[in-house]
Amino acid sequence: MSASVGGSRIPERDLVRRRLGAAVEEKATDAFCEAVIRTSPPVGGAAETLAAARDSHAATVIEFSLAAPAESVSTLVAPAEPGSEQRTGTGFRVTANTSVRQALVQEHRSSAYSTLGSVYDEVERQTGSTFRPPSTPRAAVPLATHLTQVCWLNGTLRTQAPPEVLADVAAAPEVSALDVPVRLRADAAPTNLQTVRYPPFAVETGLTGKGVVVGVIDSEVALGHPALIGRVVHRRNYTVESWGFPGEHGTAVAGIVAAEHDVHTGMAPEATIYSYKVLATNALLNGDDFDGVLAIQQALEDGVDVVNCSWGMGPAGDGTGRNARALDTAWDLGLTIVKSAGNAGPGAGTMTSPADARGVVVVGATDLSGRTVAGYSSRGTAGAHAGPDVVAPGGLPGATIACAVVGGGFGEAGYGTSYAAPHVAGLVCTYLQRAPSLLPEQVRGLLTTGTVAVPGVGVEVQGQGLLQCR
């Protein structure tokens, strides 16, 4: 359940109770109450107020209490010996994890839809959607419409329904909270490959990430960049902006992960990139936190091996919120998730959500040499994380990483933990190429083994230390 549900007695809570009823106020977060009142000025009686809200109220995220957490792949599949997997004709690997993962995904998805199905139907009925799907068995997957979307990873529903509709469903026992989505923000203000020991690693191992799929959940990755061409798939768009507007941020991140270039090579230069667009060229058109989690959910369903999330959803929480729960579920279902720590340092407790999730590898930033942690790099604690898991080069003002740029070639994209995280995601691709049956927690163990300590700072700043390719 989200923080502050039924929490502090802000004035808006009393207004929401009077206008929408006790059930709504009791399950609403402070943010929801403030949004409803802010977008519903008292222009007249209750009917006029709610009519105004219908036209202006922001989206609502309805949270549900799921019957049980997802079962972990690791409890059903023993770690396989390297080389035991089968490969398809195009080089993608099929392991014992594949069928188990898919079965668990289907089971958890069906269970979640069963829990929220009746509320979903009621919201759709009352909003009168012209795209309402036909009746289906309770456990089947309902079709998303322009008004309502479901995220089964954490048992949430995002709707554009007006407040009076929410008043009718809030009393349902399976509804645990009403909240508002949080706009995503890129963790970049924006390799030195020698710093993370990539060149000798590449020569010694010959690993390139071939056959591994990495999800770049970010702004649109440029399809035509010469160092990425032929390996980028525009998979799903969660912004208000259409495809066809590649972003500098997402293209730079993708290049650090997987560019194929004589000088500015990525960490996994033969990996396949699935681009999930959650950031737009205009930040006002960015997706929100629900979209970010939907993108992770879609990547899981698409069979992606590792995702990179170089953005934040505001300050990190205590690891119990809906977004942390979603990442924990995706992690338990076998998806390795890499997340930038954020750029709000040097203060303590400045990492961005969902760095508080258990199921995420959090990455802080150093200068290009790896000798010092950047002042902007966010620190712990967040949830179960005392600090980031590791740090990697993110650059500094005047000493930035040469990144892939939208127009082709390489140039400055700035600095930030946004550019530290894809070093880790790229290295994960090579680890999964070598041992495809690795589970996310095993991947974390490899990343945090053999790191090099950055002198003079604690675990809350550097985690286990500077990433090293081994």
Side-chain angles (χ1 to χ4, degrees):
M1 185 177 294
S2 295
S4 77
V5 173
S8 58
R9 296 306 305 180
I10 60 172
E12 289 84 353
R13 300 198 75 89
D14 294 327
L15 291 173
V16 166
R17 177 179 285 266
R18 290 201 298 271
R19 292 180 182 178
L20 302 177
V24 172
E25 188 273 327
E26 288 169 1
K27 296 182 179 181
T29 64
D30 287 351
F32 173 87
C33 294
E34 291 167 353
V36 168
I37 301 306
R38 182 177 64 250
T39 58
S40 308
V43 295
E48 290 85 351
T49 296
L50 291 176
R54 181 165 41 242
D55 295 330
S56 60
H57 178 57
T60 297
V61 176
I62 304 175
E63 302 188 29
F64 296 81
S65 299
L66 298 183
E71 191 168 3
S72 175
V73 174
S74 63
T75 64
L76 300 177
V77 179
E81 293 295 325
S84 64
E85 75 280 353
Q86 301 296 315
R87 289 188 176 271
T88 67
T90 56
F92 289 90
R93 85 273 188 278
V94 180
T95 72
N97 290 353
T98 305
S99 59
V100 173
R101 171 175 165 172
Q102 187 58 34
L104 289 178
V105 165
Q106 292 176 358
E107 179 181 35
H108 190 73
R109 179 174 57 200
S110 294
S111 176
Y113 275 114
S114 179
T115 297
L116 57 83
S118 60
V119 171
Y120 175 93
D121 285 353
E122 182 64 13
V123 169
E124 283 283 286
R125 184 186 71 81
Q126 292 210 41
T127 52
S129 171
T130 57
F131 298 104
R132 176 168 168 74
S135 298
T136 56
R138 177 60 57 83
V141 177
L143 299 175
T145 73
H146 68 304
L147 291 176
T148 311
Q149 291 177 294
V150 170
C151 180
W152 56 262
L153 269 181
N154 55 8
T156 57
L157 182 155
R158 181 178 60 184
T159 178
Q160 301 288 339
E164 65 268 34
V165 171
L166 304 175
D168 288 339
V169 301
E174 60 268 33
V175 174
S176 60
L178 300 173
D179 199 6
V180 291
V182 181
R183 188 72 59 191
L184 302 181
R185 294 181 298 174
D187 276 339
T191 291
N192 193 318
L193 299 180
Q194 293 287 350
T195 296
V196 296
R197 198 183 168 270
Y198 174 78
F201 172 82
V203 172
E204 291 163 8
T205 67
L207 295 171
T208 61
K210 187 174 183 178
V212 177
V213 180
V214 54
V216 175
I217 302 177
D218 210 289
S219 60
E220 179 180 334
V221 177
L223 282 173
H225 194 286
L228 300 170
I229 197 165
R231 292 183 294 115
V232 177
V233 176
H234 283 173
R235 185 64 192 88
R236 191 66 66 89
N237 184 357
Y238 297 91
T239 73
V240 182
E241 179 182 73
S242 67
W243 288 112
F245 297 90
E248 295 288 354
H249 191 263
T251 302
V253 166
I256 294 172
V257 174
E260 185 176 17
H261 190 266
D262 290 342
V263 177
H264 303 299
T265 183
M267 303 288 289
E270 291 190 286
T272 297
I273 300 162
Y274 279 13
S275 175
Y276 298 88
K277 184 171 179 175
V278 298
L279 303 176
T281 53
N282 181 340
L284 294 177
L285 305 180
N286 287 355
D288 56 34
D289 63 323
F290 193 94
D291 293 304
V293 173
L294 278 184
I296 293 171
Q297 175 176 287
Q298 187 63 51
L300 179 67
E301 293 182 313
D302 289 345
V304 168
D305 299 294
V306 54
V307 297
N308 186 90
C309 303
S310 287
W311 38 260
M313 303 169 169
D318 62 1
T320 64
R322 63 175 183 267
N323 297 316
R325 295 199 310 272
L327 268 68
D328 291 346
T329 298
W331 182 272
D332 288 341
L333 291 172
L335 179 64
T336 301
I337 305 168
V338 179
K339 156 84 175 85
S340 54
N343 301 323
T350 52
M351 295 200 298
T352 57
S353 176
D356 52 319
R358 165 182 52 82
V360 64
V361 177
V362 184
V363 187
T366 69
D367 66 343
L368 296 187
S369 70
R371 295 193 181 103
T372 182
V373 175
Y376 60 77
S377 184
S378 292
R379 274 71 163 156
T381 58
H385 292 268
D389 289 282
V390 294
V391 291
L396 295 173
T400 61
I401 298 167
C403 295
V405 295
V406 168
F410 293 79
E412 290 191 7
Y415 57 91
T417 58
S418 278
Y419 305 124
H423 290 80
V424 175
L427 182 58
V428 171
C429 290
T430 66
Y431 288 165
L432 291 175
Q433 178 190 6
R434 181 167 57 188
S437 295
L438 286 172
L439 298 173
E441 205 58 50
Q442 294 173 304
V443 171
R444 192 204 306 271
L446 290 173
L447 294 170
T448 56
T449 298
T451 53
V452 174
V454 179
V457 294
V459 66
E460 74 282 0
V461 177
Q462 65 173 313
Q464 298 304 305
L466 177 65
L467 179 73
Q468 297 289 280
C469 300
R470 299 185 186 279

